[in-house]
Amino acid sequence: MSNKEPTAARDVTARKQAEEELEKYRRGLEAIVADRTAELGMTIARLNQEILARKELEQTLRETVARQEALLKEAADTRKAMLFMLEDINASSATLARAKDAWQATVDAIRDPLFIHDQDHRIVRVNQAYAAAAGVPSDACIGTLFSDIFPKLDRPFKTCLRALNMQEEEEEEELYAPSLEKIFKVRTFPVGRTAGERSRETLHILEDITEAKRDRASQALLHELDQRILAGQPPEQVLPVLCTGLLDLSGAALLWIGGKEPDGTISLLASVGRDGLTADQYVTDRPLRWDVPGGPSLTGLAIVTRRTHLSPVEDRPDLP
């Protein structure tokens, strides 16, 4: 047997062992690679999830920032709009104040008393002429029943009641104010009414027609006297008519007509008085004369001088 055979056998055995070791190492390496690959895959998946979550977070942040920017812009726009609104309100307030002042100046330029009241007949606006007629400052009139100030009445105007009850047209009525000894034509206008509703406020203008009525009454009296004289009526029928007419025109308490007699006395030709007042106490109880210059009789002075003489009764009770 040759010495080479054991050596070859050992070489084959060593190679086979080496191959087995190599195969074992390869299989271990493959297992390690598989484990590492699986771990790497899990890591990559986790990273992808984190990247996706980060992207979602970034999108959320961008949307939040966009919303905040929009809110900030809206807030800025709102603030700007509010500033504009405040400017508009201030401008409107100034315009309303100017309009109110212009309205007040306009109504104050009206010489006739003018006032507006609400549905409860309480004054809401007046002009200076009304305040002067009432004898009350303008501010003190506001909120007060007009019938407690001017004109003093126990009820509202008839035209006022009709205006409040949806009358459409302007209404008028006449009123005598004893405190001023004047006659007013009351003109009534509904204010602030909408279709089918009652008037919320009522405007009254009190036009002074005292002189106009006196003029008309004077013309009517003169016409009546002319007709009576043309008809041939005697003085004792004409003079009482003249007395009555003059009493109404003058507003006096007593009016009488005296005649110039040749003996210097003054006779009572006609007289008329209010509340039963007569001229007898002046003429019958104390005969008056016209022939005494500067004498105690105003009638005598009027006869002598052919001029009107006036004297308040409280100043000269001895001179009728």
Side-chain angles (χ1 to χ4, degrees), residues 256-260 266 288-311 319-320:
W256 63 282
I257 299 175
K260 176 182 177 182
I266 300 172
L288 303 177
R289 303 188 65 84
W290 61 266
D291 59 352
V292 180
S297 169
L298 285 179
T299 307
L301 290 175
I303 291 173
V304 172
T305 61
R306 298 181 181 273
R307 294 174 55 192
T308 301
H309 290 266
L310 300 174
S311 178
L319 297 180

Side-chain angles (χ1 to χ4, degrees), residues 46-185:
R46 188 168 58 251
L47 288 174
N48 287 334
Q49 291 179 351
E50 291 179 356
I51 291 171
L52 181 61
R54 183 179 296 277
K55 287 182 178 180
E56 292 177 351
L57 178 60
E58 290 176 353
Q59 180 63 29
T60 302
L61 289 174
R62 282 194 293 270
E63 292 175 353
T64 301
V65 170
R67 284 196 300 270
Q68 289 178 344
E69 290 177 348
L71 289 174
L72 289 173
K73 183 177 183 302
E74 182 179 355
D77 293 341
T78 302
R79 180 176 178 276
K80 186 182 296 183
M82 291 181 65
L83 291 175
F84 285 142
M85 289 175 61
L86 288 174
E87 290 178 0
D88 290 342
I89 290 173
N90 290 333
S92 298
S93 298
T95 301
L96 287 175
R98 288 194 298 271
K100 182 179 179 181
D101 293 341
W103 185 92
Q104 192 65 50
T106 300
V107 297
D108 284 342
I110 299 174
R111 295 182 179 181
D112 296 320
L114 175 153
F115 69 99
I116 299 175
H117 67 76
D118 59 18
Q119 292 182 350
D120 297 324
H121 308 292
R122 296 188 179 276
I123 296 174
V124 295
R125 288 192 179 182
V126 302
N127 67 348
Q128 291 181 355
Y130 179 87
V136 178
S138 298
D139 293 343
C141 296
I142 307 303
T144 306
L145 291 171
F146 77 83
S147 56
D148 290 342
I149 302 179
F150 177 78
K152 292 185 180 294
L153 303 170
D154 56 0
R155 57 163 181 79
F157 297 126
K158 294 179 181 178
T159 54
C160 178
L161 295 176
R162 288 196 291 270
L164 286 175
N165 287 308
M166 301 178 63
Q167 290 285 341
E168 294 295 334
E169 300 298 328
E170 170 191 344
E171 296 280 348
E172 294 183 359
E173 67 179 290
E174 288 189 6
L175 169 75
Y176 176 67
S179 60
L180 301 178
E181 296 184 350
K182 290 184 177 181
I183 303 170
F184 293 97
K185 179 171 67 176

Side-chain angles (χ1 to χ4, degrees), residues 239-309:
L239 293 180
V241 175
L242 175 60
C243 259
T244 302
L246 292 177
L247 184 74
D248 292 338
L249 289 171
S250 66
L254 172 66
L255 193 144
W256 63 282
I257 299 175
K260 176 182 177 182
E261 299 297 337
D263 62 357
T265 61
I266 300 172
S267 60
L268 180 61
L269 300 179
S271 70
V272 61
R274 303 181 192 276
D275 301 323
L277 187 63
T278 67
D280 293 340
Q281 58 185 339
Y282 295 110
V283 179
T284 304
D285 298 342
R286 182 180 52 183
L288 303 177
R289 303 188 65 84
W290 61 266
D291 59 352
V292 180
S297 169
L298 285 179
T299 307
L301 290 175
I303 291 173
V304 172
T305 61
R306 298 181 181 273
R307 294 174 55 192
T308 301
H309 290 266

Side-chain angles (χ1 to χ4, degrees), residues 26-48:
R26 187 182 62 78
R27 286 196 297 268
L29 183 60
E30 288 178 352
I32 292 172
V33 170
D35 291 341
R36 292 291 179 89
T37 301
E39 183 180 351
L40 182 60
M42 294 176 60
T43 301
I44 292 173
R46 188 168 58 251
L47 288 174
N48 287 334

